Amino acid sequence: MYQLFPRLSIQWKLPLLVTAVMLLIIAALLGLAYREVERVSAATVSERLQTLSTQIETSLRSSSAASEHGARRLASLPEAHQYFRSPSSAAAGVLFAAIARIDGDDSTAAAVALLDVDGRPLAISGRMHASIASLPLPVLASRLAASPDSAAVGPLQVVGGKTVFPVIAVVTEGGREIGRLVRWRVVVPRPSARAQIGALFGGGSALLLGTPGGAWTDQVEVVPQPELPMVATTAAIRYTTAAGRGHLAAVAYDSISGWFSVLEVPDSVVEAPARNFATRIGMIGLALSLLATVLVWWFGYRISIPIHRLTAVADAMGAGRERVRAAVTGDDEVGRLALTFNRMADRMEAGAAARQASERQWRLLFTHNPVPMWVFEPTSLRFLAVNDAAVKQYGYSRAEFRQLTLRDIRPPEHVGILLETVADGLRENHTVRQFRHRRKDGTFFDVELTGNNVEFNGTPARFVIAQDITVRQALESQLRQSQKMEAVGRLAGGVAHDFNNLLAVIIAYTELVRFDTPDDDPHAADLDEVKAAGERASALTRQLLTFSRRDVVLPAVVDPNGAVAAVDKLLRRLIGEDIHVVAELAPEPGAIHVDPGQFEQVLINLAVNARDAMPTGGTLTIRTEQVTVDEASRELHGLPEAGRFVVISVNDTGVGMTPDVRSHIFEPFFTTKEVGKGTGLGLATVYAIVTQAGGSVSVYSELGTGSTFRLYFPVVAAPDAVAAITSGQHPVVGGHETILLVEDDAAVRAAAVNVLQRLGYTVLGAEGADDAAAIVARHAGVIDLVISDVVMPGTDGPTLLHHLRNERPGIKTLLMSGYTGDAITRRGVMESGVPFLQKPFTVGRLGRMVREVLDG
């Protein structure tokens, strides 16, 4: 006791020591006595249980024998023999009437069933016959087979809220079995049964009757089967239920009926005498201990009061709570100790004043710093102090922070990393790490933590500065995305020219061969596939250039209703017959300013995306409307400014998207499809086209509810002529004019010359600007049209056309190129007003463009 409480006053040590010793002795004696009383109590209860269980077994056997006797008596009735010799409804009625006379007003009689020798039911009667008629009887037949005589008692069963049991007897004639009679009896509840058992053994005790797997009753109501082995006992056994409740029980078995009786007493009843004994003895021991404590305390108080006063003064000076000095006089040990205490008090007050000034300055810097800070205990990870910025950032009050640990502001899966980081910090002292933290409202954000080891209130701790880096990471992500887009754009722009030239040759020659191939030719379908593959490759290149913003954009004022109607047939052909297309077009949605070809691509990409989301069919709805977006909701929709917008909604009834997938769908090359089934450019292209046109895209989708894409385009004033989007095949009209074709790529030049000649034109082919100038100088006739590539060695296309128009005023011109973006715009192609044809081109597009320029 002296070593455990070295600072405790002697005034209290002595009485506490005496009290502790006495309590230990009393507890030891009390424990021994408790176990002995408990043992005697358990032995007494066990003996009484087994004795009563044996008596119950005798009573059950007697009752079962009486039940079998009663059943055999009914089976021996002449009416029973008469019925089974010649079964009929009338004979059954006579037999049941005879049984009713015998039973009289017996409340236990439930029903009587008549069975043939194979156990099949023939007739049943009695007040519970309707409920009992549906019970299976094979168990009775097996019970009868196991019985040594001609009758047997069956297991308890619950029917219509009552507990019943069957007694079966064999009807014989001339030593031969002619039928069987089953008598069903009700176990009449005894409301006083529980009280009687409780009076014998104590509250919670019970006598349970039943059969394994069948019904059980405590003679008042149906109860669950006891959770102990169904084996007759010669001495009471102890068992514990699944709920953890201990019991002492005796089990008896009636071999006649096959019933078990379980007499059980809760451990609380068995242990009650021991507890009562321990309580009484404990109270006496506690009273004696308190009396001894008071006596010893008084004795200690008388001899320790001078030392206690000096200790109190020393405690006050040591704590620095107030200016106190020892008032003990004299030159003895106590007096000299008082002088030492006084000098120590002077030094402590000076040191305390310096510490308080330092702490005030530290708390000012800590509490009001705009960056979240805290101090935590490294072992328990408990917060010791937090500043105002941490309270504001995380949403917890200071009181709530003191109840938390670092685990509570981290995702559960990061706790392991947290412990490793704390351990590293204790070794390295200064650490800088990035982690994810959680606010009180459940939202997550990224932080950069700077930690140092400090001493806080005299104990080792860690001081942490937490800087929110969410904005910084978002800017870094945007920078990486823009760098990736720039790299992809440079790559796409670099290969587009050569790739488009190759595709132009492939598509042109494929179409020429297809024109000469009848539709019933086996190779016709192959040629169509080659052409379709070339067009898909061309579309893929356009998508790459679109989202990298290197495609040639020719915006025009477009009527959205006309655009949707124009591609309607194409969409239906793309998505298949199992998807129903619905167009809900507003009467006057307004006009928009967008490249018509790109707008068609937007609708096609969204339709294909919807088709893939509805593998088993569904409904695709395209809706147009005009809305006004105010300043409050502009930012919500991601629009650059408020105003009137045409909203084009594309809704499908497909599988929908998870929030994680929805957050990435506009990223280039992101796709949820299998490898080879998608490029991940479709929705990225949609986003690029819409935002390039000054609009935005919103997505609403949940798993199982489909998806809705809402495209916002600024409303523009519609001129007299609005650009239309055409879709489908149109006849190619040729002519007889003379055309000068300038193309440095020999394969493209040959293909274009071949196509134009097949359309009836006279074509002069030139491999560059110098060759073209020489041909014009030699050609004495009229040259109606000059078609020139834009980018060529030496003089480029726009410069060549400028020279030719000076030499031959009125000559019509057409530019074409496989280059895109900067390669076209920096040469002034879009501003020159010269019609432009993008490679690769189909025969139809080249023919129509030539015809339009010549006729214009």
Side-chain angles (χ1 to χ4, degrees), residues 410-449:
R410 292 285 186 90
E413 63 272 13
H414 290 179
V415 172
I417 301 176
L418 166 64
L419 299 178
E420 294 178 4
T421 305
V422 172
D424 293 342
L426 294 177
R427 291 192 299 268
E428 302 174 11
N429 186 16
H430 180 77
T431 58
V432 179
R433 300 282 193 277
Q434 290 185 5
F435 296 103
R436 170 152 287 200
H437 278 186
R438 179 175 58 192
R439 298 185 179 91
K440 181 179 180 179
D441 60 7
T443 59
F444 290 93
F445 65 103
D446 295 319
V447 295
E448 183 177 80
L449 302 183

Coordinates of all heavy atoms in Angstrom, one line a residue, residues 410-449:
R410 N -9.8 9.5 -41.3 CA -9.2 8.8 -42.4 C -10.2 7.7 -42.9 O -11.0 7.2 -42.2 CB -7.9 8.0 -41.9 CG -6.7 8.9 -41.6 CD -6.1 9.5 -42.8 NE -4.9 10.3 -42.4 CZ -3.7 9.8 -42.4 NH1 -3.5 8.5 -42.6 NH2 -2.6 10.5 -42.0
P411 N -10.1 7.4 -44.2 CA -10.9 6.3 -44.7 C -10.5 5.0 -44.0 O -9.3 4.9 -43.7 CB -10.5 6.3 -46.2 CG -10.0 7.6 -46.5 CD -9.3 8.1 -45.3
P412 N -11.4 4.1 -43.7 CA -11.0 2.9 -43.0 C -9.9 2.1 -43.6 O -9.1 1.5 -42.9 CB -12.4 2.1 -43.0 CG -13.4 3.1 -43.2 CD -12.8 4.2 -44.1
E413 N -9.8 2.1 -45.0 CA -8.8 1.3 -45.6 C -7.4 1.9 -45.5 O -6.4 1.3 -45.9 CB -9.1 1.1 -47.1 CG -9.2 2.4 -48.0 CD -10.6 3.0 -47.9 OE1 -11.4 2.6 -47.1 OE2 -10.8 3.9 -48.7
H414 N -7.3 3.2 -45.0 CA -6.0 3.8 -44.9 C -5.4 3.8 -43.5 O -4.4 4.4 -43.2 CB -6.1 5.3 -45.3 CG -6.4 5.5 -46.8 ND1 -6.5 6.7 -47.3 CD2 -6.5 4.6 -47.8 CE1 -6.8 6.6 -48.6 NE2 -6.7 5.3 -48.9
V415 N -6.1 3.0 -42.5 CA -5.6 3.0 -41.2 C -4.3 2.4 -41.1 O -3.4 2.8 -40.3 CB -6.6 2.3 -40.3 CG1 -6.1 2.1 -38.9 CG2 -8.0 3.0 -40.2
G416 N -4.0 1.3 -41.8 CA -2.7 0.7 -41.8 C -1.6 1.6 -42.3 O -0.5 1.7 -41.6
I417 N -1.8 2.4 -43.3 CA -0.9 3.4 -43.8 C -0.7 4.5 -42.7 O 0.4 5.0 -42.5 CB -1.3 4.0 -45.1 CG1 -1.5 2.9 -46.2 CG2 -0.4 5.1 -45.6 CD1 -2.0 3.4 -47.5
L418 N -1.7 4.9 -42.0 CA -1.7 5.9 -41.0 C -0.7 5.4 -39.9 O 0.2 6.2 -39.5 CB -3.0 6.1 -40.4 CG -3.1 6.9 -39.0 CD1 -2.6 8.3 -39.2 CD2 -4.5 6.9 -38.5
L419 N -0.8 4.2 -39.4 CA 0.1 3.7 -38.4 C 1.5 3.7 -38.8 O 2.4 4.0 -38.1 CB -0.4 2.3 -37.9 CG -1.8 2.2 -37.4 CD1 -2.2 0.8 -37.0 CD2 -2.0 3.1 -36.1
E420 N 1.8 3.2 -40.1 CA 3.1 3.2 -40.6 C 3.7 4.6 -40.7 O 4.9 4.9 -40.3 CB 3.1 2.6 -42.0 CG 2.8 1.1 -42.0 CD 2.8 0.6 -43.4 OE1 3.1 1.3 -44.3 OE2 2.4 -0.6 -43.6
T421 N 2.9 5.6 -41.1 CA 3.3 7.0 -41.2 C 3.7 7.6 -39.8 O 4.7 8.3 -39.7 CB 2.2 7.8 -41.9 OG1 1.9 7.3 -43.1 CG2 2.7 9.3 -42.1
V422 N 2.9 7.3 -38.8 CA 3.1 7.8 -37.5 C 4.4 7.2 -37.0 O 5.3 7.9 -36.4 CB 2.0 7.5 -36.5 CG1 2.3 7.8 -35.1 CG2 0.7 8.2 -36.9
A423 N 4.6 5.9 -37.2 CA 5.9 5.3 -36.8 C 7.1 5.9 -37.5 O 8.1 6.2 -36.9 CB 5.8 3.8 -37.0
D424 N 7.0 6.2 -38.8 CA 8.1 6.8 -39.6 C 8.3 8.2 -39.0 O 9.5 8.6 -38.9 CB 7.7 6.9 -41.0 CG 7.7 5.5 -41.7 OD1 8.2 4.6 -41.1 OD2 7.0 5.4 -42.8
G425 N 7.3 8.9 -38.6 CA 7.4 10.3 -38.1 C 8.2 10.3 -36.8 O 9.0 11.2 -36.6
L426 N 7.9 9.3 -36.0 CA 8.7 9.3 -34.7 C 10.2 9.0 -34.9 O 11.0 9.5 -34.1 CB 8.1 8.2 -33.8 CG 6.6 8.4 -33.3 CD1 6.1 7.2 -32.5 CD2 6.5 9.7 -32.5
R427 N 10.5 8.3 -36.0 CA 11.9 8.1 -36.3 C 12.6 9.2 -37.0 O 13.7 9.6 -36.7 CB 12.1 6.8 -37.1 CG 11.7 5.5 -36.4 CD 12.1 4.3 -37.2 NE 11.5 4.2 -38.5 CZ 10.4 3.6 -38.7 NH1 9.8 2.9 -37.7 NH2 9.8 3.6 -39.9
E428 N 11.8 9.8 -38.0 CA 12.4 10.8 -38.8 C 12.2 12.3 -38.3 O 12.8 13.2 -38.9 CB 11.9 10.7 -40.3 CG 12.1 9.3 -40.9 CD 11.4 9.2 -42.2 OE1 10.9 10.3 -42.7 OE2 11.3 8.1 -42.8
N429 N 11.3 12.4 -37.4 CA 10.9 13.7 -36.8 C 10.1 14.6 -37.8 O 8.9 14.6 -37.8 CB 12.1 14.5 -36.3 CG 11.7 15.8 -35.6 OD1 10.6 16.0 -35.2 ND2 12.7 16.7 -35.4
H430 N 10.8 15.1 -38.8 CA 10.1 16.0 -39.8 C 9.7 15.2 -41.0 O 10.5 14.5 -41.7 CB 11.0 17.1 -40.3 CG 10.4 18.0 -41.3 ND1 9.5 19.0 -40.9 CD2 10.5 18.1 -42.6 CE1 9.1 19.6 -42.0 NE2 9.7 19.1 -43.1
T431 N 8.4 15.2 -41.3 CA 7.8 14.4 -42.4 C 6.8 15.2 -43.2 O 6.2 16.1 -42.6 CB 7.1 13.1 -42.0 OG1 6.1 13.4 -41.1 CG2 8.1 12.2 -41.3
V432 N 6.7 15.0 -44.5 CA 5.7 15.6 -45.4 C 5.1 14.5 -46.2 O 5.8 13.7 -46.9 CB 6.4 16.6 -46.3 CG1 5.3 17.2 -47.2 CG2 7.1 17.7 -45.5
R433 N 3.8 14.3 -46.1 CA 3.1 13.2 -46.7 C 1.7 13.8 -47.3 O 1.2 14.8 -46.9 CB 2.7 12.1 -45.8 CG 3.9 11.4 -45.1 CD 4.6 10.5 -46.1 NE 5.6 9.6 -45.4 CZ 6.8 10.0 -45.0 NH1 7.2 11.2 -45.4 NH2 7.6 9.1 -44.4
Q434 N 1.2 13.1 -48.3 CA -0.1 13.4 -48.8 C -1.1 12.3 -48.5 O -0.8 11.1 -48.7 CB 0.0 13.6 -50.4 CG 0.7 14.9 -50.8 CD 0.6 15.1 -52.3 OE1 0.0 14.4 -53.0 NE2 1.3 16.1 -52.7
F435 N -2.3 12.6 -48.0 CA -3.3 11.6 -47.6 C -4.7 12.2 -48.0 O -4.8 13.3 -48.4 CB -3.2 11.4 -46.1 CG -1.9 10.8 -45.6 CD1 -1.0 11.6 -45.0 CD2 -1.7 9.5 -45.8 CE1 0.2 11.1 -44.5 CE2 -0.5 8.9 -45.4 CZ 0.4 9.7 -44.8
R436 N -5.6 11.3 -47.8 CA -7.1 11.6 -48.0 C -7.7 11.7 -46.6 O -7.6 10.7 -45.8 CB -7.7 10.6 -48.9 CG -9.3 10.8 -48.9 CD -9.8 10.3 -50.2 NE -9.5 11.2 -51.3 CZ -10.2 11.2 -52.5 NH1 -11.1 10.4 -52.7 NH2 -9.8 12.1 -53.4
H437 N -8.4 12.8 -46.3 CA -9.1 12.9 -45.1 C -10.6 13.0 -45.3 O -11.1 13.3 -46.4 CB -8.6 14.2 -44.4 CG -7.3 14.0 -43.6 ND1 -6.7 14.9 -42.8 CD2 -6.5 12.9 -43.5 CE1 -5.6 14.4 -42.3 NE2 -5.4 13.2 -42.7
R438 N -11.3 12.8 -44.2 CA -12.8 12.8 -44.2 C -13.3 13.9 -43.2 O -12.9 13.9 -42.1 CB -13.3 11.4 -43.8 CG -14.9 11.3 -43.8 CD -15.3 9.9 -43.6 NE -14.8 9.4 -42.3 CZ -14.8 8.2 -41.9 NH1 -15.3 7.3 -42.7 NH2 -14.3 7.8 -40.8
R439 N -14.3 14.7 -43.7 CA -14.9 15.7 -42.9 C -16.1 15.0 -42.1 O -16.4 13.9 -42.3 CB -15.5 16.8 -43.7 CG -14.5 17.6 -44.5 CD -15.1 18.8 -45.2 NE -14.1 19.6 -46.0 CZ -13.9 19.3 -47.3 NH1 -14.5 18.3 -47.9 NH2 -13.0 20.1 -47.9
K440 N -16.6 15.8 -41.2 CA -17.7 15.3 -40.4 C -18.9 14.9 -41.2 O -19.6 14.0 -40.9 CB -18.1 16.4 -39.3 CG -19.3 15.9 -38.4 CD -19.6 17.0 -37.4 CE -20.7 16.6 -36.4 NZ -21.0 17.6 -35.4
D441 N -19.2 15.7 -42.3 CA -20.3 15.3 -43.2 C -20.1 14.2 -44.1 O -20.9 13.8 -44.9 CB -20.7 16.6 -44.0 CG -19.6 17.1 -44.9 OD1 -18.6 16.4 -45.0 OD2 -19.7 18.1 -45.5
G442 N -18.9 13.5 -44.0 CA -18.6 12.3 -44.8 C -17.9 12.6 -46.1 O -17.5 11.6 -46.8
T443 N -17.7 13.8 -46.5 CA -17.0 14.1 -47.7 C -15.5 14.0 -47.5 O -15.0 14.2 -46.5 CB -17.3 15.6 -48.2 OG1 -16.9 16.5 -47.2 CG2 -18.8 15.7 -48.5
F444 N -14.8 13.6 -48.7 CA -13.4 13.4 -48.6 C -12.7 14.5 -49.3 O -13.2 15.1 -50.3 CB -13.0 12.1 -49.2 CG -13.5 10.9 -48.4 CD1 -14.7 10.3 -48.7 CD2 -12.7 10.4 -47.4 CE1 -15.1 9.2 -47.9 CE2 -13.1 9.3 -46.7 CZ -14.3 8.7 -46.9
F445 N -11.4 14.8 -48.9 CA -10.6 15.8 -49.6 C -9.1 15.4 -49.4 O -8.8 14.7 -48.4 CB -10.9 17.2 -49.2 CG -10.5 17.5 -47.7 CD1 -9.4 18.2 -47.4 CD2 -11.4 17.0 -46.7 CE1 -9.1 18.4 -46.1 CE2 -11.0 17.3 -45.4 CZ -9.9 18.0 -45.1
D446 N -8.2 15.8 -50.3 CA -6.8 15.5 -50.2 C -6.1 16.6 -49.4 O -6.3 17.8 -49.6 CB -6.2 15.3 -51.6 CG -6.9 14.1 -52.3 OD1 -7.0 13.1 -51.6 OD2 -7.2 14.2 -53.5
V447 N -5.1 16.2 -48.6 CA -4.3 17.1 -47.8 C -2.9 16.7 -47.9 O -2.5 15.6 -48.2 CB -4.8 17.1 -46.3 CG1 -6.2 17.6 -46.2 CG2 -4.6 15.7 -45.7
E448 N -2.0 17.7 -47.6 CA -0.6 17.5 -47.5 C -0.2 17.8 -46.0 O -0.5 18.9 -45.6 CB 0.2 18.4 -48.4 CG 1.7 18.2 -48.4 CD 2.4 19.1 -49.4 OE1 2.6 20.3 -49.1 OE2 2.8 18.6 -50.5
L449 N 0.3 16.8 -45.3 CA 0.6 16.9 -43.9 C 2.1 17.1 -43.7 O 2.9 16.4 -44.2 CB 0.1 15.6 -43.2 CG -1.4 15.3 -43.3 CD1 -1.6 14.0 -42.5 CD2 -2.3 16.4 -42.9

